[in-house]
Structure formats: C-alpha cells, structure tokens
Amino acid sequence: MVTLSEENYLKAIYHLGKQGSVAVSTNAIAEQMETKASSVTDMIKKLADKNLANYIKYQGVSLTKEGRLAAASVVRKHRLWEVLLVEKLNFSWDEVHEVAEQLEHIKSEKLINELDAFLNYPEEDPHGDPIPDKDGNIKKVEKILLSQVSENQSCICVGVKDSSTDFLKYLDKHHISLGTSIKIISKEKFDESMTIDVNNTLINISKTVSNNIYVKKAS
Amino acid sequence: MVTLSEENYLKAIYHLGKQGSVAVSTNAIAEQMETKASSVTDMIKKLADKNLANYIKYQGVSLTKEGRLAAASVVRKHRLWEVLLVEKLNFSWDEVHEVAEQLEHIKSEKLINELDAFLNYPEEDPHGDPIPDKDGNIKKVEKILLSQVSENQSCICVGVKDSSTDFLKYLDKHHISLGTSIKIISKEKFDESMTIDVNNTLINISKTVSNNIYVKKAS
DNA sequence: ATATATTTTTAGTCTTGTCTAAAAATATAT
DNA sequence: ATATATTTTTAGACAAGACTAAAAATATAT
Ligand SMILES: [Mn+2]
Ligand SMILES: [Mn+2]
Ligand SMILES: [Mn+2]
Ligand SMILES: [Mn+2]
C-alpha cells in the first residue's frame, strides 16, 4: 500500500530525475513539493524502507524499478483524468491540473483501464505530455523548444514546458494551442525575444515564452 | 474547509438521521463507520466547533443546516460518480460503491456540475437512490418494500435497501434489476418467504431478500 | 429506590506527515 | 589546506485521527 503522500513524493522524484533513473537532491524535491528538506528526508527513508527508492545519506535519491512503476502509474492517471476533463467535461487546459492532482490518487485498476478505453487510448494529455502505458513506458517523441528554432523556419506547437494557469492563459490570449503553426519571422539578438507569425498575425514573444513552448518541425 | 474524514462522519450522520434532522447516537455512528465510539466523540466535537453539527453531551448529535448541505453534497457526488461508472465506464452496480467512496471527496464545483450535465442530469443512482440537487434537495419518491406487497399483486423493482456486493450479485443471478416486473405468486406464513414470478420464472425468496428490495405498484 | 447494565466521555498513547532549530556532512573559495 | 557556505540530517514538537482502558452519565430492572 502506497499512501497519497508517498505517491506525491514518488511523482516528484520521477519528474525531477527524468523518469526516475537519475539521483535527485533533497532540496530539489523540497522545492518542487513546496515543503521542507527535513520532511523530504523523513519521507525518503520511508520510501527506501518500502523498496520504492534507493537512498544513500547525503547522496540523493533515485527510484527503484518498483518505485518508478508506481510513479508512472500516478502520472498515467493524472494525464488520463486531464484528458477526460478536457474532452468530455468542458474544462480548458488551464483548469485541469488542480483537479487531476486529486483524481490521480483514486485507487482502482478497473477505473483507470476503462477510462483509457472510454477516451480511446489517448497518447498525450491536453498539454502535449505523453501518457505512460500500464507498464510505465512512454512514447518518446522528439520535440524541441521554440527558442531553438531559427529564423524563417516553420514549426508546430506540440507541448508546453510550463503548464501553469498563467502561462496557458497567455497562450490562449495569443491563440496558441496544441497544433498551432508558428513561423519565426525574426529574432532579436539583444534580449532573444522573437517575432512569430500565428494565424497570419505577428506577435512578439520573450525568451521566457519561447523557452516554454515545445514544437516540432512543420511537416 | 471540511476534511475527508469529516465528510465521512457528516455522511454517516446524514444517513442515520434520515437526511440529518434527527439526533443520532454515538454508538450508531461508530457502528456505521466501523470505528470506535471514542473516535466518534472526538470528531463530533470538531463538527460542532465548525458549526456543522449540534451536539449536547450524552444526548446525541444532529446536523446543522450547513452540515446537512455539506453531507448532501457528498452524497450527490457519490451518486453522480456511480452513474458515470455504470453508464459510461462499464461498471456493474455491484462494483461502483468502493470507488465512489473515494471519488465523493474530490473537490471541484465545476467538475461535479459538468459531470451532472454530461450524464444528462440523472435523478437516481444505479441502486435507485435519489441524487440530491445542488441545494441538497432530494426528490421524494414513494416506494415500498417487496415484503409489504400482498399475494397476486404485481410491482416493479425501483431500488435496493442493502446495496452490498453480495446482495446485488444475488439479484443479478435471479435476473432482478431496476425496472424488473415482479408478481407475488404466494407467501409462506411460516417463514414469510415468498414465491415470485420474474420474467416468467418462479423463484422463492426469503424474507431477508424481500425486505431489501424496493418496489412500486405496477402501472 | 437502588443496583446493574449500557452508553458515552475522558485520559493517555500511537502513527503519519509536517515543522523549526541545531548539528553534521559536503561543497566552494581563497 | 583551511575557512566559509551550503546542503542534508537529526532531534524534538505539533496536529489530525485513530485506539485502549477507565471514569462518568444515563438507562433498565427489580
Ligand atoms: Mn497536470
Ligand atoms: Mn498535463
Ligand atoms: Mn454507493
Ligand atoms: Mn448507490
């Protein structure tokens, strides 16, 4: 039995350690979870006791195979619920995260499998993030940051790095969503801002923005 | 803010007190919740502090207006989720309760309202129990126990009093579900068992069974 | 009315998960 | 290489929610 709190720590380690292989620091986890380092140390010990994490004092923590699967299962649930909310329940992509944080802890194998089928086995969530399968495998899709694209190139928005409400609302305002075509018109050397063409409208975006949008080369 | 545990106590008091008006005893709550009387006393005090319950030492507890609304909201969520599970996610009526016990605690106004709409504003859950509206009002529908029906009368199954997995599976086995027509063929004076006609098959059911099936007069 | 039984509350303990403050280990800079 | 800064762990406390055992209140029976 994995508690709700343990699931949240597993998820944090999973995300910080690029799917859980790399060792992550106590402080990094504390920051991600908005908690204190001492609380993290306590929980890490519990996870290690349960064989969900590998832990060496002062050396950081990584997930075991079992821990990685448990974390991936939480992420799978989180993202499937987000799809349900957007596809069936009229949520917009900036409203789903908070509710999914709660729903991801519901325990029922059947529920999550039926949900998967009901949604027609989606491969990505509303933010373009991949949905792990039952075994925790995720389809690795190559995508780059918009900031990496050079002048005159065209690309398509396939995801966001920051999925905070504020950023998603900013994108909405400028009519950028998953699938939107973007052409880089020019780049400013000075502050690395860029002018892009979205639906035949030119807008200027900061480096912060272009650094948080994932794109793929236009096909 | 009402905690998950508080919600469970509110719900128990709500159900025991016939929607929350009557005072219920500490022991009754403890039994319903499979916990100890001393734990109940502790929680009752918290609910009273939060103005969710009226409590006089040794005199039992009842819900305040606020507590009643909170309880009804939990019941509303529980039953709406049960409808989703059965109508959209291929759960049978004996599989939904456990999962709904978890889902009923998800906090999101929008979610529950969208769910309601998505399900087309159902009035009853898969066990024939009424779904409270946003203000906690439930549509009172007259229904009687099958045990009350007299010989030669026909009726329609509209609900179950016991909605345990075991009982629901028993009903499945005998092809009794919501909407099933039942005709009382004969009653046994001795043990109050009865022979009934279900889809032209005669079966004999015990008093325990007839006491847990709600019916309405055949129209 | 008094004794007995039952119900309810209190007192004290435990577990989970959190926190602050202090100590220990590790990393960095000169 | 040593002093300083940063990170991590430990120690001790706290709140929520549960439990056991004992005390207090209420109900029941003669
Ligand atoms: Mn999310
Ligand atoms: Mn997402
Ligand atoms: Mn139920
Ligand atoms: Mn039900």
Side-chain angles (χ1 to χ4, degrees), chain B residues 8-53:
Chain B
N8 283 332
Y9 279 93
L10 288 172
K11 193 172 49 133
I13 299 168
Y14 178 86
H15 282 132
L16 288 168
K18 312 232 157 261
Q19 270 62 59
S21 31
V22 188
V24 301
S25 78
T26 302
N27 261 2
I29 298 168
E31 187 176 354
Q32 165 102 0
M33 299 197 58
E34 299 183 292
T35 184
K36 300 291 157 155
S38 55
S39 307
V40 175
T41 303
D42 282 351
M43 183 55 88
I44 283 174
K45 288 177 185 169
K46 283 179 208 158
L47 296 178
D49 284 349
K50 289 191 174 184
N51 271 304
L52 297 166

Side-chain angles (χ1 to χ4, degrees), chain B residues 63-80:
Chain B
L63 297 178
T64 61
K65 195 164 191 175
E66 199 185 337
R68 189 155 44 248
L69 185 61
S73 161
V74 176
V75 171
R76 170 172 163 80
K77 287 189 274 183
H78 182 107
R79 293 180 178 164
L80 280 173

Side-chain angles (χ1 to χ4, degrees), chain A residues 78-79 82 93 96-97 100 125-129 160 163:
Chain A
H78 182 107
R79 292 180 179 165
E82 285 190 343
W93 69 344
V96 297
H97 186 72
D125 82 358
H127 310 105
D129 293 315
V160 291
S163 50

